Amino acid sequence: MTTSPAPRPRSRRALLRATLLPAGLAASLVLVPLPAAVAAPSADAVIAEVYGGGGNSGATLKNDFIELANKGGAAFGLDGWSVQYISGTPGATSQWGVTPLTGAVAPGARYLVAEAAGAAGTVELPTPDAAGALALSGTSGTVALVRGTDPLTCRTAADCAADPRVRDLVGFGTAVVHEGSASAAGASNTASVARKAGLADTDDNAADLTAGAPTPTNGKGEVAEGSTPTGPTEPGTVRIHDIQGTTRVSARTGTTVAGVPGIVTGVRGYGSKGFWIQDPNPDADPATSEGVFVYTGSATPTVKVGDSVLVTGKVTEYYPNFNGGSQSLTQLTNPAVTVLSAGNPLPAAVVVDTRNIPGTYTPQAPAGGTIEALPLQPEKYTLDFYESLEGMRVQVKDVRVIQATDKYNELWVAADKQDQKSRRGGVLYESYQEPNVGRLMVQQQAPVTQQPFPVANVGDVLTGTTDGPLDYNSFGGYTLVAGTLGALQDNHLQREVTAQPADRELTIATYNVENLAPGNPDAKFAELAQAVVTNLRSPDVLALEEIQDNNGAKNDGTVDASQTVAKFVAAIKAAGGPAYEWRSIDPQDGKDGGEPGGNIRQGFLFNPLRVSFTDIPGGSATTAVDVAGSGAATALTASPGRIAPADEAWANSRKPLVGQFSFRGKKVFVIANHFNSKGGDQGIDSRFQAPARSSEVQRTKQATLEQAFVAKLLAADKEAKVVSLGDFNDYQFSPALAALTKDGVLRDLVNELPETEQYSYVYQGNSQVLDHILVSPEVGYAKYDVVHINSEFAVQASDHDPQVVRIKP
């Protein structure tokens, strides 16, 4: 199975990667005299906010906290770092308290450290990124960000300034240890001290920080719940285009902006709750978006579409999938909202179509970096175009559905009619260099309990207008969150049936049956079986992927899958198919990847009335199959057998299963495959360009091993008939398939189909090839078919389309 993680609007994940000052720079800084201050003003990690009144009398929050922020363009690693605290007037025996840190602060993001709780307060902090037990004073003390976890020994401003481990330091109240002329003033049981606009850091605590209501924010952009603050009464000086700016990350990240005016263009009252606002008076710069999402946390928004509002909130950058390379979404958090009027006309939607979507997908990032700091060029690059419309009202008209409605009530449409069209209405993914530019995911603002979502197949059309704010999520990139959905035009896509084979043709098929287990509904077995009998016409040999053990995902050491296969074989017979026999090898428990406890494996079904299986003992989960004999006597040393199962290339992945068959007295060697998944790869819409495809390294190693095995088989018998098939989890143009077909030992039959039929799977609106059938040169005659019965349909038994080849050994 090659599925994305379960799509959710704006799922939240952890942070990664560290960035330190270059050694040369650090050395030069030591030589600069900075009395009463530490280091130079930080370009990345700083202490953004300190609050010591948690749980004290009059406090709302239960805990003290220290909040870090990252002003830089790369993640700041915190493994081995700490935050430390000492009292405002330390004596000779005073000691620094230490809270160790782990993880990282994403660029433009916050990192929340929860400290000691008091007896009062009613509101929990948002989920902290780290936690300690330091009891900060509500009025006076010093906090330091320190490289290392050993307690500091300094007790004066000068001594602390001289300690190279101190990265940043905040003294508040009447603290003796501080940066610059004086400590930050105003801390109390109800007030924190926080950095001013732009995370000011001049190494003068008195100038850089100011007192105000505490606003704890964690690395996910979540804020503390509490009473709704009083909304603004007058428009401020900042507009939405000032917040969004001309790059992907707002220059105002971490600052609180007051009285931002806008018209509510959309409201989401479920999932990640909030609403979109848009300025009806745009500036003249096409790179600056006029829309922004206002995140309300768990609180259901009370505003309505058409309301004219003023919003005060903190500017944050939210990364739906930071580790996966996602881009960020600029948003306002912890909002205070004033509704000025209702029923206002909405700003005109930007029509997104072939006329304005650029043909070039993305700019290239500097080596090893991201595209976040690059100025947006919306007339030149597709990703820049969409980013320049982030949060704004957009519109598509009469658009073709290119990925069917999924179980999360999402579908994909083709906004650009020039993307390469498949024969049945999708768009083809043909190379890494030319991603399809017009793909847009469509969700709706209303939950399906209030408004049904259209159940569409590929090739159907959303007629009329579909419009709403343009959002971004980790599993689909840029997403039109529709307030208005076009009407569904059903184009009656039909499931394919492969051609009837001739009696002298051996038919061999592959089918990924998506985690098939005995506990699955009988309807799934029946639907899969009917496809085998009707759509595949009961192939002589059927290689299956993702057969789970007898208790499915239950993780108790079970590896036998006889019940799973027996139930499937019975379902096929009940559907009018043959009484298949089967062969497989049970994997070692937990060694082949897939759903934990499921122990997925490949297996062969075969029709004994048409083809015979040559059983050769010796195959096991850990025994490597080899080649014996030569010429007409060439045979496997074990049938079924596994290719190099102990090689590190197959770590946590399925090992190829090889079987020796006989058809009309002729040997045929069949290899059933399920290479490692694409999990961990950066998406094509990643902020890293070109995106890293880390998983393909392992697949290329796997392909190299299999190519060597096939080459050895052909060296023993140059006329050997080999069919290698299954879910290779990679494209026909990938390095893995290049390695597998090296020296012509195998040819990939998908390349012999008409271009518009080259796909077996649909992901993020791209019809793409993940499943393959390859044959050795002496197979010669090979009639190949991808049988489209699943990937293009909202109702599907599996997420893959099966394939079949007809050969004449």
Side-chain angles (χ1 to χ4, degrees), residues 413-554:
V413 298
D416 187 343
K417 292 179 173 58
Q418 292 185 349
D419 283 338
Q420 179 63 49
K421 186 178 180 181
S422 75
R423 184 173 66 84
R424 290 161 58 87
V427 294
L428 297 168
Y429 186 46
E430 299 181 295
S431 75
Y432 295 129
Q433 288 72 39
E434 296 179 314
N436 294 301
V437 299
R439 299 168 301 107
L440 274 181
M441 178 186 276
V442 176
Q443 301 171 338
Q444 68 181 18
Q445 294 170 34
V448 292
T449 54
Q450 298 176 13
Q451 177 182 330
F453 192 77
V455 179
N457 297 326
V458 168
D460 292 347
V461 175
L462 288 183
T463 62
T465 296
T466 297
D467 70 67
L470 190 65
D471 198 19
Y472 182 89
N473 74 85
S474 61
F475 303 116
Y478 291 97
T479 303
L480 194 164
V481 187
T484 301
L485 269 168
L488 180 65
Q489 175 183 299
D490 185 351
N491 282 346
H492 305 290
L493 187 71
Q494 300 298 308
R495 300 180 199 272
E496 291 186 333
V497 176
T498 197
Q500 180 69 48
D503 183 63
R504 296 182 63 84
E505 291 178 326
L506 173 66
T507 57
I508 305 174
T510 175
Y511 200 175
N512 182 321
V513 291
E514 193 176 7
N515 289 327
L516 189 66
N520 291 156
D522 290 346
K524 177 175 180 177
F525 279 87
E527 191 173 354
L528 289 167
Q530 193 63 59
V532 171
V533 175
T534 301
N535 303 89
L536 296 179
R537 296 189 185 272
S538 300
D540 300 322
V541 178
L542 176 59
L544 298 173
E545 298 86 55
E546 294 199 15
I547 293 289
Q548 291 199 341
D549 61 37
N550 288 339
N551 57 19
K554 185 177 180 181

Side-chain angles (χ1 to χ4, degrees), residues 330-649:
T330 305
Q331 59 185 13
L332 298 179
T333 61
N334 197 27
V337 182
T338 301
V339 177
L340 302 177
S341 62
N344 296 279
L346 303 186
V350 176
V351 177
V352 176
D353 63 13
T354 304
R355 292 170 297 179
N356 57 8
I357 300 174
T360 303
Y361 191 66
T362 178
Q364 293 299 299
T370 78
I371 59 176
E372 289 187 311
L374 299 179
L376 296 176
Q377 300 182 67
E379 296 179 358
K380 186 174 182 179
Y381 299 113
T382 305
L383 286 183
D384 288 14
F385 171 70
Y386 290 139
E387 177 65 22
S388 74
L389 300 175
E390 179 194 273
M392 290 179 62
R393 191 164 171 253
V394 299
Q395 175 186 111
V396 292
K397 294 182 178 180
D398 299 325
V399 284
R400 191 176 76 253
V401 175
I402 57 173
Q403 182 166 331
T405 304
D406 63 24
K407 62 183 177 180
Y408 303 104
N409 300 297
E410 303 162 335
L411 56 79
W412 288 74
V413 298
D416 187 343
K417 292 179 173 58
Q418 292 185 349
D419 283 338
Q420 179 63 49
K421 186 178 180 181
S422 75
R423 184 173 66 84
R424 290 161 58 87
V427 294
L428 297 168
Y429 186 46
E430 299 181 295
S431 75
Y432 295 129
Q433 288 72 39
E434 296 179 314
N436 294 301
V437 299
R439 299 168 301 107
L440 274 181
M441 178 186 276
V442 176
Q443 301 171 338
Q444 68 181 18
Q445 294 170 34
V448 292
T449 54
Q450 298 176 13
Q451 177 182 330
F453 192 77
V455 179
N457 297 326
V458 168
D460 292 347
V461 175
L462 288 183
T463 62
T465 296
T466 297
D467 70 67
L470 190 65
D471 198 19
Y472 182 89
N473 74 85
S474 61
F475 303 116
Y478 291 97
T479 303
L480 194 164
V481 187
T484 301
L485 269 168
L488 180 65
Q489 175 183 299
D490 185 351
N491 282 346
H492 305 290
L493 187 71
Q494 300 298 308
R495 300 180 199 272
E496 291 186 333
V497 176
T498 197
Q500 180 69 48
D503 183 63
R504 296 182 63 84
E505 291 178 326
L506 173 66
T507 57
I508 305 174
T510 175
Y511 200 175
N512 182 321
V513 291
E514 193 176 7
N515 289 327
L516 189 66
N520 291 156
D522 290 346
K524 177 175 180 177
F525 279 87
E527 191 173 354
L528 289 167
Q530 193 63 59
V532 171
V533 175
T534 301
N535 303 89
L536 296 179
R537 296 189 185 272
S538 300
D540 300 322
V541 178
L542 176 59
L544 298 173
E545 298 86 55
E546 294 199 15
I547 293 289
Q548 291 199 341
D549 61 37
N550 288 339
N551 57 19
K554 185 177 180 181
N555 198 355
D556 63 355
T558 299
V559 293
D560 179 36
S562 57
Q563 295 175 26
T564 311
V565 179
K567 187 172 180 178
F568 191 32
V569 168
I572 293 172
K573 190 171 183 181
Y580 280 113
E581 294 184 12
W582 67 284
R583 298 291 188 274
S584 186
I585 293 176
D586 292 335
Q588 291 179 283
D589 184 39
K591 297 294 186 181
D592 278 20
E595 187 176 23
N599 288 312
I600 58 174
R601 83 289 310 276
Q602 297 92 267
F604 294 117
L605 301 188
F606 63 95
N607 181 355
L609 299 180
R610 292 271 302 162
V611 64
S612 62
F613 189 88
T614 305
D615 288 293
I616 302 173
S620 74
T622 57
T623 304
V625 67
D626 206 345
V627 178
S630 62
T634 298
L636 302 176
T637 58
S639 176
R642 300 177 108 196
I643 296 177
D647 193 282
E648 57 89 23

Side-chain angles (χ1 to χ4, degrees), residues 566-786:
K567 187 172 180 178
F568 191 32
V569 168
I572 293 172
K573 190 171 183 181
Y580 280 113
E581 294 184 12
W582 67 284
R583 298 291 188 274
S584 186
I585 293 176
D586 292 335
Q588 291 179 283
D589 184 39
K591 297 294 186 181
D592 278 20
E595 187 176 23
N599 288 312
I600 58 174
R601 83 289 310 276
Q602 297 92 267
F604 294 117
L605 301 188
F606 63 95
N607 181 355
L609 299 180
R610 292 271 302 162
V611 64
S612 62
F613 189 88
T614 305
D615 288 293
I616 302 173
S620 74
T622 57
T623 304
V625 67
D626 206 345
V627 178
S630 62
T634 298
L636 302 176
T637 58
S639 176
R642 300 177 108 196
I643 296 177
D647 193 282
E648 57 89 23
W650 306 108
N652 200 38
S653 181
R654 284 67 55 188
K655 291 72 177 170
L657 183 72
V658 189
Q660 183 173 318
F661 293 84
S662 178
F663 179 72
R664 295 178 176 265
K666 300 295 184 180
K667 290 179 191 175
V668 179
F669 301 96
V670 183
I671 308 174
N673 298 274
H674 190 185
F675 283 12
N676 68 290
S677 78
K678 290 182 175 294
D681 288 4
Q682 294 168 352
I684 59 177
D685 62 325
S686 171
R687 66 183 184 276
F688 297 95
Q689 291 295 336
R693 299 183 293 272
S694 57
S695 69
E696 76 178 13
V697 175
Q698 184 177 4
R699 280 192 301 281
T700 303
K701 291 179 179 178
Q702 294 173 345
T704 300
L705 284 176
E706 183 165 324
Q707 189 272 351
F709 178 82
V710 175
K712 188 172 186 179
L713 195 56
L714 296 180
D717 179 9
K718 65 180 181 180
E719 297 184 358
K721 311 299 190 294
V722 183
V723 178
S724 177
L725 74 174
D727 177 3
F728 291 87
N729 267 319
D730 224 333
Y731 314 116
Q732 69 273 37
F733 49 80
S734 66
L737 269 296
L740 190 58
T741 56
K742 183 181 177 183
D743 298 330
V745 301
L746 293 168
R747 79 179 198 267
D748 191 354
L749 295 179
V750 74
N751 295 316
E752 299 175 15
L753 288 178
E755 186 178 40
T756 59
E757 298 179 22
Q758 295 179 6
Y759 61 95
S760 65
Y761 189 83
V762 183
Y763 179 64
Q764 289 192 345
N766 277 319
S767 295
Q768 55 194 248
V769 178
L770 293 184
D771 310 84
H772 302 255
I773 297 181
L774 305 97
V775 296
S776 60
E778 287 303 314
V779 168
Y781 175 96
K783 298 299 183 181
Y784 167 70
D785 188 17
V786 179

Side-chain angles (χ1 to χ4, degrees), residues 16 112 199 264 603 622 806:
L16 91 164
L112 183 64
L199 295 171
V264 177
T622 57
R806 310 192 314 271

Side-chain angles (χ1 to χ4, degrees), residues 82-302:
S82 63
V83 288
Q84 301 192 19
Y85 170 76
I86 199 168
S87 64
T89 54
T93 60
S94 296
Q95 301 292 320
W96 287 83
V98 178
T99 298
L101 307 176
T102 59
V105 196
R110 299 301 174 110
Y111 183 100
L112 183 64
V113 186
E115 298 293 3
T122 58
V123 176
E124 301 284 352
L125 295 175
T127 304
D129 302 294
L134 302 178
L136 279 59
S137 166
T139 57
S140 180
T142 303
V143 172
L145 174 60
V146 180
R147 182 187 288 110
T149 56
D150 292 334
L152 297 172
T153 58
C154 57
R155 298 184 184 89
T156 67
D159 287 346
C160 289
D163 193 325
R165 295 177 298 161
V166 177
R167 182 54 173 266
D168 193 23
L169 183 145
V170 170
F172 58 96
T174 57
V176 171
V177 180
H178 55 79
E179 290 181 344
S181 61
S183 297
S188 69
N189 289 351
T190 58
S192 66
V193 291
R195 290 197 181 272
K196 296 179 182 179
L199 295 171
D201 183 21
T202 64
D203 280 357
D204 188 336
N205 291 161
D208 294 340
L209 294 101
T210 186
T215 57
T217 305
N218 65 15
K220 300 174 182 178
E222 298 167 335
V223 297
E225 300 300 333
S227 58
T228 303
T230 302
T233 58
E234 297 291 336
T237 59
V238 175
R239 297 296 180 265
I240 294 173
H241 49 252
D242 299 323
I243 297 168
Q244 290 283 11
T246 58
T247 61
R248 285 172 164 77
V249 175
S250 173
R252 297 174 184 267
T253 299
T255 66
T256 296
V257 289
V260 179
I263 304 295
V264 177
T265 59
V267 177
R268 184 162 57 206
Y270 69 100
S272 188
K273 297 177 182 177
F275 58 94
W276 290 266
I277 61 173
Q278 184 168 333
D279 195 327
N281 301 303
D283 67 6
D285 190 343
T288 57
S289 170
E290 302 294 340
V292 71
F293 184 69
V294 181
Y295 176 59
T296 59
S298 62
T300 301
T302 58

